Amino acid sequence: MSDLILHHYPTSPFAEKIRLILGYKQLAWKSVFIPMIMPKPDLTALTGGYRKTPVLQIGADIYCDTALICDVLEHLAPTPTIYPDAVKGAARIVAQWADSALFTAAMAYNFQPAGVAQVFAGAPAEGVQAFVADRTAMRGGSARMASADATGTYKSYLRRIANMLHGQDFLFGEQPGVADFAVYHPLWFTQERTPALAGIFDATPEIQAWMARMQAIGHGTAGKCSAEEALQVARNSTPATEPGDVFQDEHGIALGSPVLVAADNFGLEPTEGELIAATRTRYTLRRTDDRAGTVHVHFPRVGFTLKKVSA
């Protein structure tokens, strides 16, 4: 198997979700640090436009969005599973809620003035302004939840999470699963990056104990890799043969068509390529870049849109 290369930055909540899953599965991986904000020329040479963090690279196969990355890691290392059969559907639903509604409320809470002061301590004013502009663009110009609304929502969500943990170590039993990793990462940001605001956890000791258990999992074995080395790996690799899943056509777009794939609500930069697979769960595009060579870029269906490129 080719090396697992994770393109991320240390303070990314979604990257923490994947780093912990790599640790839980005791996988070795290589770390490529990417910028927090655009431009990200080395990353987009691989993805064709997608800019969110993290991205998983295996040779010349590029996997976008943590929901898909979770599935890929589960396939590579089925034990220990993050999808126990008895709760697989419920765990996926909770994970999707955590990655969207919980994350939105938590980050709006985290970025009130006391949190901003800690996140950007020592940063120049122009750096803060660039970050704000970047995240505003990622939201497509839509307003961020007001911090007062976010505080009430976050507290309500924390009570519900605490209820799930009553009498057990993890959200669905005695072992962590995909829901735990998804719920943990926005709370991790509160605890690690905005500790002045972490008193919100005081009312839910079950969550505090659970977070300590999650943190103890660690990140597995990580080695360093430069962006140029990762691009060279892609250039020197051949993308994996697509699985023989049945073509699921929901759009009337034939395989081989030039298409655009983009997230449907946050980080809307599209990736253009040739549609070579549309399975029950993912899209795969073939694209060629001067620096990365020929790569296959993979996206989950859920949370992404597929459009044919106009002639």
Side-chain angles (χ1 to χ4, degrees):
M1 183 181 71
S2 299
D3 289 330
L4 303 175
I5 301 174
L6 190 70
H7 299 259
H8 67 123
Y9 57 87
T11 59
S12 162
F14 279 95
E16 181 65 10
K17 171 186 174 183
I18 298 303
R19 291 187 295 251
L20 275 184
I21 293 174
L22 289 163
Y24 183 56
K25 292 181 174 292
Q26 305 212 344
L27 290 167
W29 54 284
K30 290 186 176 180
S31 170
V32 176
F33 287 155
I34 62 176
M36 291 176 60
I37 64 175
M38 292 294 273
K40 304 182 181 184
D42 298 321
L43 180 70
T44 54
L46 293 167
T47 66
Y50 179 87
R51 52 75 49 93
K52 294 197 285 184
T53 307
V55 166
L56 179 68
Q57 175 186 353
I58 306 176
D61 286 272
I62 313 300
Y63 298 93
C64 302
D65 194 86
T66 59
L68 177 56
I69 294 171
C70 287
D71 289 351
V72 171
L73 295 178
E74 178 77 0
H75 176 74
L76 293 173
T79 304
T81 184
I82 58 172
Y83 300 111
D85 285 339
V87 295
K88 185 185 297 184
R92 284 186 182 274
I93 289 170
V94 170
Q96 186 179 8
W97 162 80
D99 286 344
S100 53
L102 174 62
F103 177 81
T104 297
M107 297 309 284
Y109 170 81
N110 294 333
F111 277 86
Q112 59 185 284
V116 169
Q118 291 192 310
V119 171
F120 295 108
E126 57 269 24
V128 178
Q129 293 167 358
F131 179 86
V132 171
D134 182 82
R135 292 310 190 262
T136 300
M138 287 187 76
R139 294 195 303 272
S142 62
R144 185 162 54 87
M145 184 185 294
S147 60
D149 297 326
T151 300
T153 301
Y154 198 15
K155 287 179 177 178
S156 293
Y157 287 164
L158 291 173
R159 289 193 296 270
R160 296 173 191 178
I161 296 164
N163 288 340
M164 293 181 70
L165 290 166
H166 185 68
Q168 58 189 22
D169 285 346
F170 298 98
L171 294 177
F172 284 94
E174 297 310 306
Q175 301 297 327
V178 68
D180 294 273
F181 296 105
V183 168
Y184 176 76
H185 72 85
L187 278 60
W188 165 85
F189 194 95
T190 304
Q191 184 177 62
E192 297 296 322
R193 299 294 299 144
T194 61
L197 302 176
I200 198 169
F201 300 133
D202 291 347
T204 51
E206 300 96 334
I207 287 179
Q208 291 174 315
W210 167 78
M211 290 182 73
R213 288 190 287 273
M214 293 297 294
Q215 185 179 36
I217 291 170
H219 294 164
T221 304
K224 294 181 180 180
C225 180
S226 71
E228 186 51 50
E229 287 171 334
L231 287 165
Q232 184 177 354
V233 167
R235 285 195 304 272
N236 294 341
S237 302
T238 300
T241 302
E242 282 304 301
D245 291 3
V246 174
F247 172 46
Q248 183 169 317
D249 180 16
E250 307 288 357
H251 299 78
I253 299 175
L255 294 180
S257 299
V259 297
L260 294 170
V261 172
D264 61 11
N265 64 358
F266 186 70
L268 306 178
E269 292 83 355
T271 291
E272 182 174 346
E274 176 192 352
L275 182 66
I276 61 170
T279 72
R280 292 182 303 109
T281 59
R282 71 173 74 171
Y283 304 118
T284 299
L285 308 188
R286 179 189 291 119
R287 55 178 306 277
T288 300
D289 180 89
D290 289 343
R291 299 176 67 203
T294 297
V295 295
H296 288 178
V297 189
H298 309 268
F299 301 89
R301 275 187 181 264
V302 175
F304 286 80
T305 62
L306 174 71
K307 296 179 179 179
K308 190 170 183 177
V309 174
S310 300

